[in-house]
């Protein structure tokens, strides 16, 4: 919330919160911001809210109104400006609010290659989306290896989903998933699934496949 903080003078240390309406700074007791200082005029200055923000207006005071050391008649205030009225130094506290950006997409799908990150956006509703897509496509054109690796991973995920949808047997599904994980992670020599024994609490191998066994099986099929 916007406020004024007195740094020096009889009101030093006090904070005045600013809401709607005008605020008169002065020595008269009915002023919204009362300053008991004989060098301050009875109605010294007015704070008012306008479209561009808070403004301060000198009301014909004897000793003047200063903003950041410059005498002013009317001035627009910004955060951390310092108002000086006689011996009173007042800091302006105007929190900066940043509007939340509107989402550029109603929905999107993101695919990330953790070794060579490339991002694809499924919907292009903004210039930034087209830029990201162009950058991703440029990266693929520069390296066919990354493209082939990404395609392999997508195929593996698709195969896992198809197996899960068509095969209710849990053991066969695990074997299919483990086989596909070997395709997803070509650097892995083996992939396994460990489960905790309900009685002993120890981990035991539920399903495991080695790359050499899978390669030999494919070679036999060929």
């Amino acid at each position: 919330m916007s406020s004024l903080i007195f740094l020096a003078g009889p009101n030093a240390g006090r904070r005045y919160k600013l809401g709607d309406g005008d605020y008169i700074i002065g020595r008269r007791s009915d002023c919204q911001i009362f300053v008991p200082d004989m060098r301050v005029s009875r109605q010294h200055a007015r704070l008012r809210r306008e479209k561009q923000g808070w403004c301060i207006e000198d009301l014909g005071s004897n000793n003047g109104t200063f903003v950041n050391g410059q005498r002013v008649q009317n001035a627009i205030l910004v955060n951390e400006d310092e108002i000086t009225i006689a011996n009173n130094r007042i800091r302006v506290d105007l929190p900066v609010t940043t509007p939340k950006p509107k989402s550029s997409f109603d929905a999107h799908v993101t695919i990330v290659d953790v070794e060579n990150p490339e991002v694809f956006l499924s919907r292009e509703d903004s210039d930034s989306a087209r830029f990201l897509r162009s950058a991703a496509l440029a990266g693929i054109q520069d390296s066919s290896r990354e493209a082939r690796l990404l395609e392999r991973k997508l195929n593996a995920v698709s195969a896992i989903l198809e197996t899960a949808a068509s095969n209710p047997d849990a053991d066969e599904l695990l074997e299919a998933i483990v086989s596909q994980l070997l395709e997803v992670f070509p650097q892995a020599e083996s992939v396994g699934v460990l489960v905790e024994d309900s009685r002993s609490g120890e981990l035991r191998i539920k399903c495991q496949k080695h790359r050499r066994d899978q390669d030999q099986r494919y070679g036999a099929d060929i």
Side-chain angles (χ1 to χ4, degrees):
M1 186 176 186
S2 301
S3 59
L4 297 181
I5 304 170
F6 277 75
L7 305 177
N11 290 350
R14 296 194 61 178
R15 176 189 291 265
Y16 292 84
K17 295 182 179 180
L18 303 178
D20 296 330
D22 292 357
Y23 292 80
I24 302 297
I25 302 174
R27 183 165 44 87
R28 208 166 77 178
S29 60
D30 60 350
C31 289
Q32 286 83 1
I33 301 178
F34 170 60
V35 183
D37 183 338
M38 292 303 297
R39 296 188 59 195
V40 176
S41 298
R42 292 171 61 82
Q43 290 187 317
H44 196 105
R46 176 189 290 114
L47 283 170
R48 65 181 185 277
R49 185 73 175 270
E50 296 187 353
K51 291 182 179 180
Q52 63 269 42
W54 283 97
C55 300
I56 189 166
E57 174 191 1
D58 185 83
L59 298 178
S61 64
N62 292 327
N63 294 314
T65 301
F66 297 79
V67 176
N68 300 326
Q70 300 293 322
R71 186 164 184 166
V72 298
Q73 180 60 43
N74 288 280
I76 299 173
L77 299 173
V78 298
N79 189 42
E80 296 188 353
D81 272 351
E82 185 172 296
I83 302 169
T84 302
I85 295 176
N87 294 325
N88 301 272
R89 291 172 43 234
I90 310 165
R91 190 179 72 202
V92 179
D93 187 8
L94 303 178
V96 178
T97 57
T98 303
K100 184 179 180 180
K102 184 178 179 181
S103 174
S104 300
F105 312 100
D106 293 331
H108 69 272
V109 175
T110 304
I111 302 170
V112 178
D113 179 350
V114 295
E115 294 181 346
N116 298 283
E118 301 289 350
V119 180
F120 301 85
L121 301 177
S122 63
R123 180 166 177 168
E124 305 170 25
D125 289 341
S126 67
D127 292 339
S128 60
R130 287 191 290 273
F131 173 79
L132 287 174
R133 180 176 181 274
S134 298
L137 291 176
I140 290 178
Q141 292 170 356
D142 291 341
S143 177
S144 60
R145 177 182 175 276
E146 283 79 2
R148 290 195 302 271
L149 180 60
L150 182 57
E151 182 179 3
R152 180 191 302 172
K153 292 182 178 181
L154 289 175
N155 290 337
V157 172
S158 178
I160 290 173
L161 294 176
E162 289 178 4
T163 303
S166 61
N167 194 338
D169 186 86
D171 292 336
E172 293 184 10
L173 178 58
L174 277 180
E175 290 186 5
I177 291 175
V178 169
S179 296
Q180 293 300 331
L181 286 176
L182 282 172
E183 295 296 318
V184 174
F185 300 101
Q187 72 276 17
E189 290 299 324
S190 65
V191 175
V193 177
L194 301 178
V195 296
E196 182 179 349
D197 188 279
S198 59
R199 294 182 180 179
S200 66
E202 295 181 354
L203 294 177
R204 61 184 182 86
I205 298 175
K206 180 70 173 177
C207 179
Q208 185 175 22
K209 287 188 179 294
H210 299 278
R211 182 170 301 281
R212 61 178 179 273
D213 298 334
Q214 186 153 312
D215 292 343
Q216 289 172 3
R217 179 167 61 84
Y218 289 157
D221 293 340
I222 294 173

